[in-house]
Amino acid sequence: MALKYQRILLKISGEALGGEKGTGFDEPTMDAICGGVKKAHDLGVQIGIVVGGGNFWRGRSSGKMERTLADKIGMLATVMNALAVSDKLEQLGVETEVFTSITMPQVAPAFTRKDALKAMADGKIAIFGGGTGNPFFSTDTTTALRAVEVSADIMFKATMVDGVYDKDPHKYPDAKKYDTLTFTKVLEDRLAVMDGTAATLCRDNKLPILVFDLADPDNIAKAVQGENVGTLVYEG
Ligand code: UDP
């Protein structure tokens, strides 16, 4: 089957790595997620991954700690997750290369567009740790940024719901799911799908986002082949 996308940037939330608990690493859940990533990669699509850090730490919910310090801890959490996802994928026989936005050469090389493109062209999955390297940003924004930087066709936002709804589907049984949506509507209606910075970056650079449920890790491969597995956000 033909591929709809040649290069994708996949965002996996940190929480997803923690399974039911949502914290730390849940091995079976990580095996399932990485198995889904491998399936998509086996189809021949180039993949970059950004992992969040919420299974360990989120700067904005760190109580009294000074925010920029709290965010540094959050960014380091994303590096731990990047290394763990890399290890899982390598165990499955997929070659990977981790890049970081904050230099730590003993851990992984610093991100450059050129090296990331080369890694993906060589058949490796590029994994980007450390967020943007700046406080007050999120890993959603990081994914949008890296996607634009490496000229990806689309950002895949793998979440815990099967798309974007007009209101919280867990609270309101009559919530309506969107098949498609514009970034302008996401911003105007303040839909809780991504932060405003990420939405604006995508809109300004014409980068579409597909939001879908990671509970079925096969969704990644399905989406790569153009199956309608969630909500597509783009600006017409
Ligand atoms: N973070 C940051 N700058 C970035 C990306 C992330 O400061 O560019 C910090 C921030 O504290 C954030 C934490 O890293 O709360 C974890 O990222 P995020 O909350 O996006 O993870 P997720 O909720 O997706 O697991």
Side-chain angles (χ1 to χ4, degrees), residues 11-15 52-55 57-60 67 70-72 74-75 78 130-140 142:
K11 156 77 199 288
I12 302 172
S13 74
E15 213 177 348
N55 52 330
W57 186 264
R58 282 197 188 94
R60 60 187 179 281
R67 176 65 189 268
D71 280 342
K72 281 178 194 160
M75 287 187 271
T78 73
T132 62
N134 298 292
F136 299 105
F137 287 92
S138 67
T139 48
D140 277 5
T142 308

